[in-house]
């Protein structure tokens, strides 16, 4: 990670830590917490009133997203869901209600203050089928092929390594798994500099991908059935959008990759979709054990 990327990540962490502290402190006041986001394009107003009313006030107040991914992810009873950048837990708690007691909802966040707030909100909601994990969305601390649905709410645009996010999302999904993501997406005509002119990085604007870049990034990771639908504008040429895609039910074969998977201990060898056939070890470890000389695409697998 470059020094600039490290600085941006720390700036993002500080911003969301401060938001969590603000919600926590206001929650102890007589009138309860107030939303930390006042822009009508972001925050809890994007959720239905009955959804907000069913959750702890602190979870609602901490909402900083640009949509409601749980409304489009078509969650089903018994599914396992992962929320990338779960913040105060609003989408995790809504997901937990939808998948029911036989399902499970995971929340992943890198900010200690948000994790503490999310845990408190889960306790207040009486949610027993949730688990919050500390980590980054570029290195998800879950095994491969274990999640049915990945959701996220205006967080991927904050990453400084979006290809890693897409690759990790693909890795943890089961074959046939899907994503339902809310994110900020830019018109294809806007340059990187023009996006930065419309808002800063921590405000979910400067780091946004264009529609074409988003599709290309998901496709490179191995996703199919990619749909990106704009829902409402958040700045000139910038949109909140719903992103859907699917991990194929069958991964690429050795013939597709022009390599011999059977000798490498991985699937889709030397492609962005490669995964260890044994999810308990890394791709590099699998290749080393199998004596495979193709190490170029190896990446961390938890």
């Amino acid at each position: 990670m470059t020094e600039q990327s490290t600085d941006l990540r720390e700036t993002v962490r500080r911003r969301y830590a401060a938001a969590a502290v603000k919600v926590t402190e206001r929650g102890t006041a007589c009138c309860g917490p107030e939303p930390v986001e006042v822009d009508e394009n972001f925050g809890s107003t994007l959720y239905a009133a009955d959804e907000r009313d069913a959750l702890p006030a602190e979870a609602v107040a901490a909402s900083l997203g640009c949509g409601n991914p749980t409304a489009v992810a078509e969650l089903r009873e018994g599914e396992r869901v992962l929320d990338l950048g779960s913040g105060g837990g609003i989408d995790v708690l809504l997901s937990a209600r939808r998948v029911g007691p036989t399902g499970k909802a995971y929340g992943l966040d890198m900010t200690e203050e948000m994790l503490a707030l999310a845990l408190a909100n889960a306790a207040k909601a009486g949610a027993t089928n949730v688990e919050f994990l500390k980590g980054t969305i570029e290195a998800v601390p879950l095994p491969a092929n274990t999640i049915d649905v990945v959701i996220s709410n205006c967080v991927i645009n904050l990453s400084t390594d979006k290809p890693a996010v897409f690759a990790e999302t693909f890795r943890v999904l089961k074959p046939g798994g899907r994503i339902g993501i809310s994110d900020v997406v830019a018109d294809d005509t806007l340059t990187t500099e023009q996006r930065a002119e419309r808002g800063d990085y921590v405000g979910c604007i400067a780091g946004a991908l264009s529609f074409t870049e988003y599709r290309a990034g998901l496709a490179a990771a191995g996703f199919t059935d990619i749909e990106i639908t704009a829902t409402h504008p958040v700045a000139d040429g910038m949109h909140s959008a719903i992103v859907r895609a699917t991990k194929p039910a069958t991964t690429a074969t050795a013939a597709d990759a022009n390599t011999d998977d059977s000798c490498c201990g991985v699937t889709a060898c030397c492609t962005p979709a490669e995964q260890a056939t044994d999810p308990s070890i890394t791709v590099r470890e699998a290749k080393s054990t199998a004596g495979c000389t193709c190490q170029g695409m190896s990446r961390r697998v938890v």
Side-chain angles (χ1 to χ4, degrees):
M1 182 179 290
T2 66
E3 183 176 348
Q4 181 184 22
S5 296
T6 301
D7 290 344
L8 280 173
R9 176 178 285 181
E10 177 58 20
T11 299
V12 170
R13 190 202 65 77
R14 287 199 303 265
R15 190 261 177 131
Y16 287 91
V21 170
K22 184 177 181 181
V23 169
T24 301
E25 290 177 347
R26 287 185 174 181
T28 61
C30 64
C31 300
E34 296 178 4
V36 294
E37 190 66 63
V38 296
D39 189 331
E40 64 182 7
N41 295 315
F42 298 87
S44 61
T45 58
L46 300 173
Y47 294 81
D50 60 336
E51 291 180 314
R52 298 195 303 268
D53 293 344
L55 297 176
E58 289 80 4
V60 176
S63 175
L64 293 160
C66 57
N68 179 359
T70 64
V72 299
E74 299 176 358
L75 302 180
R76 296 185 282 269
E77 189 85 16
E79 288 189 318
R80 295 163 67 90
V81 185
L82 168 64
D83 181 16
L84 300 178
S86 50
I90 185 171
D91 292 318
V92 174
L93 296 179
L94 288 173
S95 296
R97 292 166 61 89
R98 292 181 184 235
V99 301
T102 60
K104 187 164 185 177
Y106 293 93
L108 174 65
D109 207 282
M110 69 176 182
T111 307
E112 290 277 6
E113 293 84 352
M114 276 294 184
L115 287 168
L117 177 59
L119 287 168
N121 287 331
K124 290 177 182 177
T128 58
N129 59 337
V130 305
E131 182 176 347
F132 290 97
L133 308 168
K134 184 179 181 183
T136 67
I137 61 176
E138 297 86 3
V140 179
L142 286 172
N145 306 313
T146 55
I147 299 297
D148 296 294
V149 188
V150 172
I151 64 173
S152 186
N153 197 348
C154 209
V155 172
I156 293 176
N157 64 75
L158 296 171
S159 173
T160 58
D161 189 355
K162 295 173 181 65
V165 177
F166 295 145
E168 280 291 271
T169 300
F170 190 91
R171 180 185 68 81
V172 300
L173 279 171
K174 297 176 182 178
R178 62 196 187 278
I179 65 173
I181 291 169
S182 295
D183 211 356
V184 172
V185 183
D187 284 343
D188 290 333
T189 55
L190 294 184
T191 65
T192 301
E193 292 73 21
Q194 288 172 326
R195 297 171 213 175
E197 290 171 356
R198 285 155 170 76
D200 59 14
Y201 206 95
V202 297
C204 303
I205 301 297
L209 296 174
S210 71
F211 284 90
T212 296
E213 290 167 345
Y214 221 116
R215 289 191 187 94
L218 289 170
F223 284 99
T224 58
D225 303 321
I226 300 167
E227 298 178 3
I228 305 177
T229 306
T231 58
H232 60 273
V234 297
D236 183 21
M238 312 285 291
H239 314 269
S240 173
I242 294 297
V243 182
R244 297 182 178 92
T246 304
K247 178 175 180 175
T250 56
T251 56
T253 65
D256 294 331
N258 293 320
T259 61
D260 184 3
D261 266 0
S262 62
C263 71
C264 289
V266 300
T267 60
C269 185
C270 294
T271 75
E274 67 177 359
Q275 300 177 38
T277 54
D278 179 355
S280 68
I281 63 176
T282 66
V283 167
R284 187 176 295 278
E285 289 169 342
K287 288 184 174 184
S288 177
T289 299
C292 180
T293 58
C294 177
Q295 302 288 335
M297 289 298 296
S298 292
R299 56 180 172 75
R300 177 178 177 273
V301 177
V302 179

